[in-house]
Amino acid sequence: MSILVDKNTRLLVQGITGSEGLFHTTQMVNYGTNVVAGVTPGKGGEWVLDKVPVFDSVKLAVEATGANASIIFVPARFAPDAMFEAADAGIPLVICITEGVAVQDMMRVRNYLDQKNVRLIGPNCPGLLTPGEAKVGIIPGNIAIPGNVGVVSRSGTLTYEVLYALKQVGMGSSTCVGIGGDPVNGTNFIDVLDMFEHDPKTEKVVMIGEIGGTDEEKAAEFISSKMTKPVVSFIAGQTAPPGKRMGHAGAIIEGGAGTAADKVRALESAGVRVAKHPEEIPSLLK
Amino acid sequence: MSILVDKNTRLLVQGITGSEGLFHTTQMVNYGTNVVAGVTPGKGGEWVLDKVPVFDSVKLAVEATGANASIIFVPARFAPDAMFEAADAGIPLVICITEGVAVQDMMRVRNYLDQKNVRLIGPNCPGLLTPGEAKVGIIPGNIAIPGNVGVVSRSGTLTYEVLYALKQVGMGSSTCVGIGGDPVNGTNFIDVLDMFEHDPKTEKVVMIGEIGGTDEEKAAEFISSKMTKPVVSFIAGQTAPPGKRMGHAGAIIEGGAGTAADKVRALESAGVRVAKHPEEIPSLLK
Amino acid sequence: MKLHEYQSKQIFSKFGIPIPKGRVAATASEARQIAEELGGRVVIKSQVLVGGRGKAGGVKLAKDPQEAEQLATQILGMEIKGLPVRKVLVDEAAAIDQEIYFAITNDRAAKKPVIMASAAGGVDIEEVAATHPEKIIKVHIDPLLGLRDYQARDIAASMDLPREYWKDFGTIANGLWKAYSSTDATLAEINPLVITKDKRLVALDGKMMIDDNALFRHSDLSEMRDIDEEAPAETEARKYGLSFIKLDGNIGCMVNGAGLAMTSMDIVKLFGGEPANFLDIGGGAGSEKVAAAMRIILSDPNVKAVLFNIFGGITRCDEVAKGILAAMAEVKPKVPMVVRLVGTNAEEGRQLLADAKMITAETLADAAKKAVAAAKGA
Amino acid sequence: MKLHEYQSKQIFSKFGIPIPKGRVAATASEARQIAEELGGRVVIKSQVLVGGRGKAGGVKLAKDPQEAEQLATQILGMEIKGLPVRKVLVDEAAAIDQEIYFAITNDRAAKKPVIMASAAGGVDIEEVAATHPEKIIKVHIDPLLGLRDYQARDIAASMDLPREYWKDFGTIANGLWKAYSSTDATLAEINPLVITKDKRLVALDGKMMIDDNALFRHSDLSEMRDIDEEAPAETEARKYGLSFIKLDGNIGCMVNGAGLAMTSMDIVKLFGGEPANFLDIGGGAGSEKVAAAMRIILSDPNVKAVLFNIFGGITRCDEVAKGILAAMAEVKPKVPMVVRLVGTNAEEGRQLLADAKMITAETLADAAKKAVAAAKGA
């Protein structure tokens, strides 16, 4: 068992012939992920790695291969269209790795995908890893082993640190979900915490947050009211300078929340143990 | 019993202080319709007919009066906004009388209202009449009496002819629904036929169509496959000249359908008796 | 409102769709001058708001400016389906490899804009649609989201358009969507969109229709209306917001509501008469509008009788009666009039008309019969 | 990207929002000339991309052109929060009756644009938000539908704006929505929107921020960037797509991923060091980008040690190693370097760096400790 992706996931790669797409498709295939198709407009009919057929459109790829999840590696200015295309082709799970998608585009994408009940992970995220079953993203496969720890994170490489630290002490994870750090994204902490709470394979949860926004605060509320499984957390940016503010409006809309100290306080009040640095997490899980 | 509106309908009038809004509000109130509120931006706090409070916005009107249906009399260029406003305020039934709403506006309105599960009647329609209970629109109240005939029509004044002809021979109607003749509207024949099929008060149905579009053809299919109650019809425009065509695209999109003869043929094949002129309808219902 | 080919193509060009070089001319010497500027072969295309002008000889190829002048003289002297040709478009001629059909219009059943495209474009597209509907690709556009780039690619792929043209086709699709949506068009059609022998995509012909109900926000487009192409009565009718179509019969009809207006025509015909027009005064017409409607009807010398059929709802019968009286005082009609008033304020209306010596009727059938009889008796 | 007040107001004006008459000046004599053209009293406003300029004395009222010149001289000589004032906006002075706050920004929690408005506008709006949140009206906008007219009216009504201003407020709201949506803004703020004593609504001050990720479709806005307002290192970083913020410490940090970059700073501090910068090379950085990052770090004379912490995912450690080597060959750094490479192609990366005499580390904590020690030893 696992959440979101497993051995039965039939994965499509949008942007499969680009340099990133091709590199990570190779990694995913080598990991054992069931990559059934790729899409690059204008390259339909080609093959990747001698085994993955390339199509001109998501619709054609889905018709031919029954793909039921799609991962997006296309450049930022084309990524919104790729997400719309996947949603319109009926794909229920879309993972967008692409970094730098414009925020007004993302608001349109998110509102449209919600209407279609499409689950979006990302953008600007490392994707998903269910160790031993499926790697759907860019998390290096060799840094994690199967286990009972569910990992959810807003940060990319910081997630790798945590998985790596867990592996060093022989701890494995059920599924690792990188939700991405963009202001408007597809899936938030609460969505994933809820999945972990209902996943029989997951016994403990690690949540990796960072400064900005109020997702961690909301997660703390959710943990204290809805979760029975223990949660350990780390919040990045404790020493970050206040940085460039979004004028008055940013302060008003978030009501002064969003600092690392606020988040740590909220999480600790919810019974979450918060690590001082990522490598401290394994000991807090014991 | 009846469909869509009855004595319990709490009606809001958008554009209540305009000349049409005021005239027909008076008619509706005199008929006994439960008009609970009106909206005219900038006139909140006034009263109409010494009994209907006017609000600046639909939201305020709904909060204050619990209105659960809205009728729109505002000019065409403001009507789309009025429909969005009613939908966003949570009103589940919106009747738009206004004629001349731009069709691209209506496509946006219809797609948005569908997302919100709002039932829209019209635009460019005479509205609803449940004789003896509620007049929600501009159908003259004195031309129809309560009875067991459900009437649905794309045409305004032609509907009056039919109700009037029924009344002349002592026949009454359960509810009369004017769905309007615009190319893109809120409710079509099939929606209303389905409601009549399930309405215990309705025993027979009159459907009044006209040339253009393919709604009558689709209704014929629905009648033959789903309806048990007898349907009588009239199609206006049997002698109309082909008129001004919408280029090639219009012909292609509708595949040559839409003439009166096509519609009559489809309906007669579905077991519908089609009248030669509206005043012939009562005899076909007997 | 229909736009001319040259107007449609100007709009296309504004949104990045490639069109042939060319200009419109009102005289043969202007046409010659344009041909000189363009150099090479040119096409002389009559600008009239009806279809089938090619088959009627309204489109000709000229090999040089001199021939351009000759052909322009000839075409500017033509009538096509009753409409005199007042302008010609002089376009550089294209060497054509393939003709594509490409349009955006409203799909009333789907409540969405729809793209239609076919690799088998050109003048016979309607026949293609009838005999090989699978050759017409239809893709709906979400009206809240607009055309997506991937949709344009899907269309290009479905048409088997060679990949080298996909990028340009995407630009054209995006331009056509913008042309359609920003002008409140009901139709934006390129037929043909050609692949030239030198491997370019060019919109060789264009047709746009604009939603009259949306012209309030497009004053620039309203000015494009070519009133030379309308019967004067229709221009006058539009000025008053009346929906009017002239027909060949002798019974003038004034009705409120399009459905009832068509029905009134149907019944006139059912009882042996011939309607002289379709005229819908619309909902809530005031007396001024009614008076205008009556003047328009009576301006037709064929009219031997007039049928008024008003079933008041949003329209009030007393307002209609006032309009009839005002127009009668002005025009002093000599033909018999049959009037039927029912519904909102019908009683008040009838009282106003009591002294006007009009034939009254109770039912629709009765009114039609009386009008037919009156027209025959006159 | 932040825009200056004068740039923001130019955009507002383009979308129909009334702004005061005025122009920007780079010298005191220009300011005097503008004041002469405007006549009457003028406001001299420093154009710097930081808040609080009013409280810092960067906004002054001048009664005549002579005083305008004096005050402009004074303000153009100022520094506000470390930024030199290089331009002033000279605006006609307004007689103010009421100050309104009115902005559109992104609500990340709601995933929608949000309008915020308050009848208690002006410099103390943040205090109002903190102490009287009920005085701030928030209305979300459907991103697929855009701002609806009724929403603008609802806001006007909720603010108790007198009805005589509703129509103009609607125009301004619509203009602000267009300014926000057509520029890919993350913020479009009018504060204050004033009611003048002669009963007009005028946007007296404006602030816009543009989404850097959307600048690819706004070349006109990209040109508005004021690089005078940035540290040169930040300008250089942006050129290479690096996210860089200079800090006051002495340990240069180069990390991939914002979260890991912040964490690396956190750990450096946890073990007693002070980071010299935040630097995220982003995902999938190639060697050229890495070399640029290294040059930027080493251009800071405070830097006594450099910490490289790369956990390869989309970024490949061998590419990073190549970049480090390229930069080292060029810059020939004299400070110690601590490098930690883990993840995708880490082994290849380590091999490439084997001869480069760098301090290597296995864990994050280890790397931070070694960097802190190296900086102290240097």
Side-chain angles (χ1 to χ4, degrees):
Chain A
M1 281 293 292
S2 57
I3 66 168
L4 295 163
V5 292
D6 59 22
K7 281 187 174 151
N8 300 315
T9 299
R10 299 179 62 78
L11 185 67
L12 168 74
V13 180
Q14 288 177 258
I16 193 167
T17 61
S19 106
E20 297 308 327
L22 190 54
F23 178 81
H24 289 289
T25 298
T26 308
Q27 303 271 3
M28 290 190 287
V29 167
N30 290 346
Y31 193 82
T33 308
N34 187 18
V35 178
V36 298
V39 167
T40 297
K43 301 215 169 168
E46 298 185 6
W47 293 79
V48 158
L49 306 177
D50 288 338
K51 60 181 284 193
V52 181
V54 180
F55 298 87
D56 281 322
S57 77
V58 177
K59 188 162 155 262
L60 294 171
V62 170
E63 282 167 7
T65 67
N68 60 12
S70 181
I71 185 163
I72 294 175
F73 284 104
V74 308
R77 68 179 71 183
F78 306 117
D81 198 56
M83 290 183 261
F84 286 123
E85 183 176 6
D88 286 344
I91 290 190
L93 174 64
V94 177
I95 299 99
C96 184
I97 305 300
T98 309
E99 183 179 350
V101 179
V103 66
Q104 291 197 18
D105 281 338
M106 274 315 301
M107 293 195 287
R108 284 184 284 267
V109 168
R110 174 66 197 269
N111 278 268
Y112 186 76
L113 267 57
D114 280 356
Q115 284 168 34
K116 300 233 163 189
N117 289 314
V118 174
R119 163 71 58 199
L120 171 69
I121 310 285
N124 188 18
C125 81
L128 307 169
L129 177 64
T130 295
E133 298 206 33
K135 165 176 144 77
V136 177
I138 62 175
I139 301 174
N142 59 355
I143 61 169
I145 53 177
N148 64 5
V149 182
V151 178
V152 57
S153 171
R154 265 172 74 184
S155 169
T157 44
L158 183 51
T159 315
Y160 310 166
E161 291 287 357
V162 173
L163 291 173
Y164 189 67
L166 289 175
K167 186 184 172 189
Q168 301 303 306
V169 298
M171 295 179 84
S173 79
S174 51
T175 300
C176 172
V177 183
I179 60 173
D182 276 8
V184 174
N185 63 4
T187 294
N188 59 27
F189 281 133
I190 292 180
D191 301 321
V192 182
L193 292 173
D194 192 43
M195 293 181 217
F196 281 141
E197 176 69 13
H198 292 95
D199 173 32
K201 180 69 174 293
T202 302
E203 290 175 18
K204 305 164 182 182
V205 176
V206 173
M207 182 182 110
I208 304 157
E210 61 186 43
I211 50 169
T214 56
D215 268 15
E216 289 80 2
E217 286 84 341
K218 285 183 193 136
E221 262 182 63
F222 180 83
I223 291 165
S224 88
S225 63
K226 301 280 173 62
M227 283 191 77
T228 59
K229 300 179 182 176
V231 180
V232 168
S233 183
F234 173 75
I235 304 295
Q238 315 210 19
T239 62
K244 294 164 181 178
R245 295 259 319 277
M246 279 185 63
H248 293 302
I252 294 171
I253 196 70
E254 294 183 353
T259 68
D262 289 333
K263 291 174 192 295
V264 170
R265 205 176 306 119
L267 288 165
E268 287 182 340
S269 304
V272 174
R273 293 206 277 175
V274 183
K276 280 209 241 356
H277 67 84
E279 286 157 345
E280 202 190 49
I281 288 175
S283 65
L284 296 181
L285 278 170
K286 278 179 186 160
Chain B
M1 282 294 293
S2 58
I3 65 168
L4 294 165
V5 293
D6 59 22
K7 280 187 176 152
N8 300 315
T9 299
R10 300 177 62 79
L11 186 67
L12 167 74
V13 180
Q14 288 177 257
I16 195 168
T17 60
S19 109
E20 296 307 327
L22 191 55
F23 177 80
H24 289 289
T25 297
T26 309
Q27 303 271 4
M28 291 190 288
V29 166
N30 289 346
Y31 193 81
T33 308
N34 188 17
V35 178
V36 298
V39 166
T40 297
K43 300 214 168 169
E46 297 186 6
W47 293 79
V48 157
L49 305 177
D50 289 338
K51 61 180 281 196
V52 181
V54 180
F55 297 86
D56 282 322
S57 77
V58 177
K59 187 164 156 261
L60 293 171
V62 169
E63 282 168 6
T65 68
N68 59 12
S70 181
I71 185 163
I72 293 174
F73 285 103
V74 307
R77 67 180 71 182
F78 307 117
D81 197 56
M83 290 184 262
F84 286 121
E85 183 177 6
D88 286 344
I91 291 189
L93 175 63
V94 177
I95 299 98
C96 183
I97 305 301
T98 309
E99 185 180 349
V101 180
V103 67
Q104 291 197 18
D105 280 340
M106 274 315 301
M107 292 194 289
R108 284 183 283 267
V109 167
R110 175 67 197 269
N111 279 268
Y112 186 76
L113 266 57
D114 280 357
Q115 283 169 34
K116 299 233 165 191
N117 289 313
V118 174
R119 163 71 57 200
L120 171 68
I121 310 284
N124 188 19
C125 81
L128 307 169
L129 178 64
T130 294
E133 298 205 35
K135 165 175 144 79
V136 177
I138 62 174
I139 302 174
N142 59 355
I143 61 169
I145 54 177
N148 64 4
V149 181
V151 178
V152 58
S153 172
R154 265 172 73 184
S155 170
T157 44
L158 183 50
T159 314
Y160 311 166
E161 289 288 357
V162 173
L163 292 173
Y164 188 67
L166 289 175
K167 186 184 172 188
Q168 301 303 306
V169 298
M171 296 178 86
S173 78
S174 50
T175 300
C176 173
V177 183
I179 59 172
D182 275 8
V184 174
N185 63 3
T187 294
N188 60 28
F189 281 133
I190 292 179
D191 300 322
V192 181
L193 290 173
D194 192 44
M195 293 181 216
F196 281 141
E197 177 69 12
H198 292 95
D199 173 32
K201 180 69 175 291
T202 301
E203 291 175 17
K204 306 164 182 183
V205 175
V206 173
M207 182 181 108
I208 303 159
E210 61 186 43
I211 50 170
T214 56
D215 267 16
E216 289 80 3
E217 286 85 340
K218 285 183 193 136
E221 262 182 63
F222 180 84
I223 290 165
S224 88
S225 63
K226 300 280 172 63
M227 284 192 75
T228 59
K229 299 179 182 178
V231 180
V232 168
S233 183
F234 173 75
I235 303 296
Q238 314 209 18
T239 61
K244 294 164 182 177
R245 296 259 318 277
M246 279 185 63
H248 294 301
I252 295 172
I253 196 70
E254 293 183 353
T259 70
D262 288 333
K263 292 174 191 295
V264 170
R265 205 176 307 120
L267 288 165
E268 287 182 339
S269 304
V272 174
R273 294 207 275 175
V274 183
K276 281 209 240 354
H277 68 82
E279 286 157 343
E280 203 190 51
I281 288 174
S283 64
L284 295 181
L285 278 171
K286 278 177 186 161
Chain C
M1 180 181 91
K2 284 184 190 174
L3 297 185
H4 281 297
E5 176 195 3
Y6 77 93
Q7 295 167 325
S8 304
K9 279 155 75 175
Q10 278 165 6
I11 293 171
F12 291 169
S13 179
K14 195 176 127 194
F15 290 103
I17 299 172
I19 59 168
K21 277 183 203 144
R23 261 194 358 262
V24 77
T27 66
S29 65
E30 268 184 87
R32 180 189 183 118
Q33 195 190 326
I34 296 165
E36 278 165 1
E37 287 168 23
L38 292 173
R41 297 184 314 155
V42 296
V43 189
I44 313 290
K45 307 173 88 175
S46 54
Q47 300 294 291
V48 281
L49 294 176
V50 289
R53 61 184 180 163
K55 285 171 187 163
V59 179
K60 299 278 187 192
L61 186 67
K63 63 180 185 305
D64 56 32
Q66 191 184 342
E67 194 182 14
E69 184 166 9
Q70 284 163 9
L71 291 171
T73 307
Q74 180 188 325
I75 291 172
L76 284 166
M78 289 174 68
E79 276 202 357
I80 297 177
K81 294 188 184 169
L83 288 174
V85 178
R86 292 194 165 88
K87 296 192 201 94
V88 292
L89 176 62
V90 184
D91 265 0
E92 60 177 359
I96 299 169
D97 226 28
Q98 190 190 334
E99 294 191 326
I100 293 165
Y101 177 82
F102 189 36
I104 304 180
T105 187
N106 307 324
D107 184 347
R108 54 195 288 171
K111 323 287 182 197
K112 287 179 177 169
V114 63
I115 291 188
M116 289 190 294
S118 176
V123 290
D124 296 324
I125 185 67
E126 283 189 50
E127 202 188 310
V128 172
T131 57
H132 293 285
E134 77 285 356
K135 289 192 180 168
I136 312 263
I137 296 144
K138 293 179 192 173
V139 174
H140 286 103
I141 301 171
D142 184 314
L144 299 177
L145 201 58
L147 178 70
R148 303 299 326 170
D149 292 342
Y150 87 82
Q151 295 181 305
R153 286 198 308 266
D154 279 2
I155 293 163
S158 303
M159 282 197 296
D160 290 323
L161 188 70
R163 283 177 178 156
E164 57 190 296
Y165 299 109
W166 285 16
K167 189 157 171 285
D168 287 349
F169 183 78
T171 305
I172 291 168
N174 192 33
L176 195 66
W177 166 252
K178 284 190 178 139
Y180 162 91
S181 56
S182 70
T183 62
D184 270 289
T186 55
L187 173 72
E189 181 181 78
I190 308 176
N191 187 30
L193 173 66
V194 301
I195 302 181
T196 62
K197 292 215 182 289
D198 58 347
K199 299 195 173 297
R200 292 176 300 123
L201 283 173
V202 180
L204 223 56
D205 199 351
K207 183 183 286 177
M208 289 193 74
M209 298 180 70
I210 310 298
D211 183 355
D212 285 322
N213 286 334
L215 286 176
F216 69 89
R217 57 188 165 213
H218 302 290
S219 54
D220 51 331
L221 295 173
S222 302
E223 285 165 16
M224 286 188 175
R225 189 186 294 274
D226 188 348
I227 56 166
D228 287 348
E229 296 270 322
E230 288 182 326
E234 291 179 14
T235 307
E236 180 77 4
R238 202 189 50 253
K239 210 172 79 188
Y240 287 93
L242 300 162
S243 183
F244 174 83
I245 299 169
K246 186 175 166 1
L247 302 171
D248 298 331
N250 60 5
I251 298 176
C253 297
M254 184 166 100
V255 189
N256 63 326
L260 190 55
M262 287 192 288
T263 302
S264 302
M265 287 159 50
D266 291 350
I267 304 194
V268 161
K269 203 146 181 170
L270 191 68
F271 290 113
E274 285 291 339
N277 63 275
F278 166 93
L279 197 164
D280 170 16
I281 60 171
S287 57
E288 199 189 339
K289 199 167 172 179
V290 171
M294 190 148 158
R295 283 195 305 272
I296 290 166
I297 291 172
L298 293 172
S299 70
D300 177 357
N302 294 341
V303 166
K304 299 287 177 256
V306 182
L307 167 61
F308 299 92
N309 186 28
I310 303 297
F311 208 124
I314 200 162
T315 306
R316 305 180 210 171
C317 292
D318 53 340
E319 282 289 324
V320 173
K322 281 180 206 160
I324 293 174
L325 290 175
M328 283 176 77
E330 183 194 329
V331 187
K332 306 208 191 317
K334 295 185 178 58
V335 296
M337 311 234 194
V338 180
V339 64
R340 174 171 176 263
L341 297 179
V342 198
T344 308
N345 294 7
E347 198 42 55
E348 292 86 334
R350 280 189 215 112
Q351 279 169 15
L352 283 167
L353 293 180
D355 297 331
K357 294 191 188 161
M358 302 177 86
I359 304 164
T360 58
E362 282 298 309
T363 69
L364 191 49
D366 183 37
K369 280 180 207 161
K370 283 175 174 165
V372 172
K376 284 185 179 154
Chain D
M1 180 181 90
K2 283 183 190 176
L3 297 185
H4 280 296
E5 176 194 3
Y6 77 93
Q7 296 166 325
S8 304
K9 279 155 76 174
Q10 277 165 6
I11 293 172
F12 291 169
S13 179
K14 194 176 128 193
F15 291 103
I17 299 173
I19 58 168
K21 274 183 204 144
R23 259 190 5 259
V24 78
T27 65
S29 65
E30 268 183 86
R32 181 191 181 115
Q33 195 190 326
I34 296 166
E36 277 165 2
E37 287 167 25
L38 292 172
R41 298 185 313 155
V42 295
V43 188
I44 313 291
K45 307 174 87 174
S46 53
Q47 300 293 292
V48 280
L49 294 178
V50 290
R53 61 185 178 162
K55 285 171 186 162
V59 178
K60 299 277 186 191
L61 188 67
K63 63 180 186 305
D64 57 33
Q66 191 184 343
E67 194 182 12
E69 184 166 7
Q70 283 164 10
L71 290 170
T73 306
Q74 180 187 324
I75 291 173
L76 284 166
M78 289 174 67
E79 275 201 1
I80 298 177
K81 295 189 183 168
L83 288 174
V85 178
R86 292 193 164 90
K87 295 191 199 98
V88 292
L89 176 62
V90 184
D91 264 359
E92 60 176 359
I96 298 168
D97 226 27
Q98 190 190 335
E99 294 191 326
I100 293 165
Y101 178 81
F102 189 36
I104 303 180
T105 188
N106 306 324
D107 185 347
R108 53 195 289 171
K111 321 288 181 196
K112 286 179 178 170
V114 63
I115 292 189
M116 289 191 292
S118 176
V123 290
D124 296 323
I125 185 67
E126 282 189 52
E127 201 187 311
V128 171
T131 57
H132 294 285
E134 77 286 353
K135 287 193 180 167
I136 312 264
I137 296 144
K138 294 179 192 173
V139 174
H140 286 103
I141 300 171
D142 185 313
L144 299 177
L145 202 57
L147 178 71
R148 304 299 326 170
D149 292 342
Y150 88 82
Q151 295 182 304
R153 287 198 307 267
D154 278 3
I155 292 164
S158 302
M159 281 196 297
D160 290 324
L161 188 71
R163 282 176 178 157
E164 59 190 296
Y165 298 109
W166 285 16
K167 188 157 172 286
D168 287 349
F169 183 78
T171 305
I172 291 168
N174 192 34
L176 195 66
W177 166 251
K178 283 189 178 139
Y180 164 90
S181 56
S182 70
T183 62
D184 270 289
T186 54
L187 173 72
E189 181 182 79
I190 308 175
N191 186 32
L193 173 67
V194 301
I195 303 181
T196 62
K197 292 215 181 291
D198 58 347
K199 297 193 174 297
R200 292 175 300 124
L201 282 172
V202 180
L204 223 56
D205 198 351
K207 181 184 288 176
M208 289 192 73
M209 297 179 71
I210 310 298
D211 183 355
D212 284 321
N213 286 333
L215 286 176
F216 70 88
R217 57 189 165 213
H218 303 290
S219 55
D220 52 330
L221 294 174
S222 301
E223 286 165 16
M224 286 188 173
R225 188 186 294 273
D226 189 347
I227 55 165
D228 287 349
E229 296 271 322
E230 287 182 326
E234 290 179 14
T235 307
E236 179 76 4
R238 202 188 50 253
K239 209 171 80 187
Y240 286 93
L242 301 163
S243 184
F244 174 83
I245 298 169
K246 187 176 164 2
L247 301 172
D248 297 331
N250 59 4
I251 299 177
C253 298
M254 183 166 100
V255 189
N256 63 326
L260 190 56
M262 286 192 288
T263 302
S264 301
M265 288 159 51
D266 290 350
I267 304 194
V268 161
K269 204 147 181 169
L270 191 67
F271 290 113
E274 285 292 339
N277 63 275
F278 166 93
L279 196 163
D280 169 15
I281 61 171
S287 58
E288 199 190 339
K289 199 167 171 179
V290 171
M294 191 148 155
R295 283 195 304 272
I296 290 166
I297 291 173
L298 293 172
S299 70
D300 178 356
N302 293 341
V303 167
K304 299 286 177 257
V306 182
L307 168 62
F308 299 92
N309 186 29
I310 303 297
F311 207 125
I314 200 162
T315 305
R316 305 181 210 168
C317 292
D318 54 340
E319 282 289 324
V320 173
K322 281 180 204 161
I324 292 174
L325 291 175
M328 284 176 77
E330 182 195 328
V331 188
K332 308 207 191 314
K334 297 184 177 58
V335 298
M337 312 235 192
V338 180
V339 63
R340 176 173 175 260
L341 298 179
V342 198
T344 307
N345 294 6
E347 198 43 53
E348 292 85 336
R350 280 190 215 115
Q351 280 169 13
L352 284 167
L353 293 180
D355 298 331
K357 294 187 189 166
M358 303 178 85
I359 305 164
T360 58
E362 282 298 308
T363 68
L364 189 49
D366 184 37
K369 280 181 210 163
K370 285 175 173 164
V372 172
K376 285 185 178 156

